[in-house]
Amino acid sequence: FTFAAPPHTGISWFLEAAKQAGQPLQMEHPWQCHTPFHEGQAGFSVSLIRHPYTWLQALYFNPQEDRLEATPEVDWIVREAKKANYFHSFVNTIAEHPGCIGSMFGAYQATSVLRVEDFPWAAMSLFELVGAPTEKVNTLRNFLPDFALDIPPIDQTAKLRRMIVKSEAEFCERYE
């Protein structure tokens, strides 16, 4: 299968899990996994998604390298994260563009989309589906993702989260 996903969606964990399950994904450059699939690309493809609010947190508090070559939406959001002096101003900017996060995730147009909140189980099911040996897949039960972020306490967390959920209502409805 082929794989592509936006940054900060558990890519490192997923690539290592694929390797452990006997399904290693070969990429010439690590940033290539951020490039969406070509339109009309044949075969089974996989992408990852994350809740829009936690994705924005990850992006803002763990800055991305400059060379993404992903989607125009990813590149724009990354630039906005770098420009913002405060997380709440970054969230306000993104909320002023309703649907941009859903559109960004949608640009990957994968055959199968996994939510990072469902790891490791969703990945294990995928690897079994593509024929990985059961004994290798079962090792992932103990390979739990660590998506903990070093995020400072934010007084307005609930308010900011509601703002993004409202701005991304259509995507959040499908997401849940």
Side-chain angles (χ1 to χ4, degrees), residues 65-170:
E65 67 273 2
D66 288 331
R67 184 177 184 163
L68 281 182
E69 298 183 21
T71 70
E73 295 90 349
V74 169
D75 295 342
W76 175 77
I77 294 170
V78 167
R79 283 193 304 273
E80 290 303 315
K82 288 181 178 183
K83 285 188 339 190
N85 291 325
Y86 301 100
F87 181 64
H88 70 273
S89 60
F90 170 55
V91 170
N92 285 328
T93 299
I94 301 307
E96 290 171 1
H97 297 85
C100 70
I101 297 172
S103 174
M104 178 270 306
F105 279 121
Y108 285 83
Q109 299 182 13
T111 309
S112 182
V113 178
L114 308 179
R115 291 175 6 142
V116 299
E117 291 83 358
D118 296 334
F119 285 173
W121 313 112
M124 292 171 66
S125 294
L126 170 75
F127 298 139
E128 286 177 344
L129 175 73
V130 297
T134 303
E135 62 276 359
K136 286 190 174 193
V137 170
N138 285 339
T139 65
L140 298 178
R141 291 177 190 273
N142 298 320
F143 182 55
L144 302 176
D146 180 13
F147 300 130
L149 301 171
D150 188 20
I151 298 174
I154 303 168
D155 292 336
Q156 303 174 359
T157 297
K159 178 183 174 188
L160 295 173
R161 185 179 182 93
R162 282 191 305 272
M163 186 185 310
I164 289 301
V165 168
K166 182 179 178 185
S167 172
E168 296 293 326
E170 184 180 323

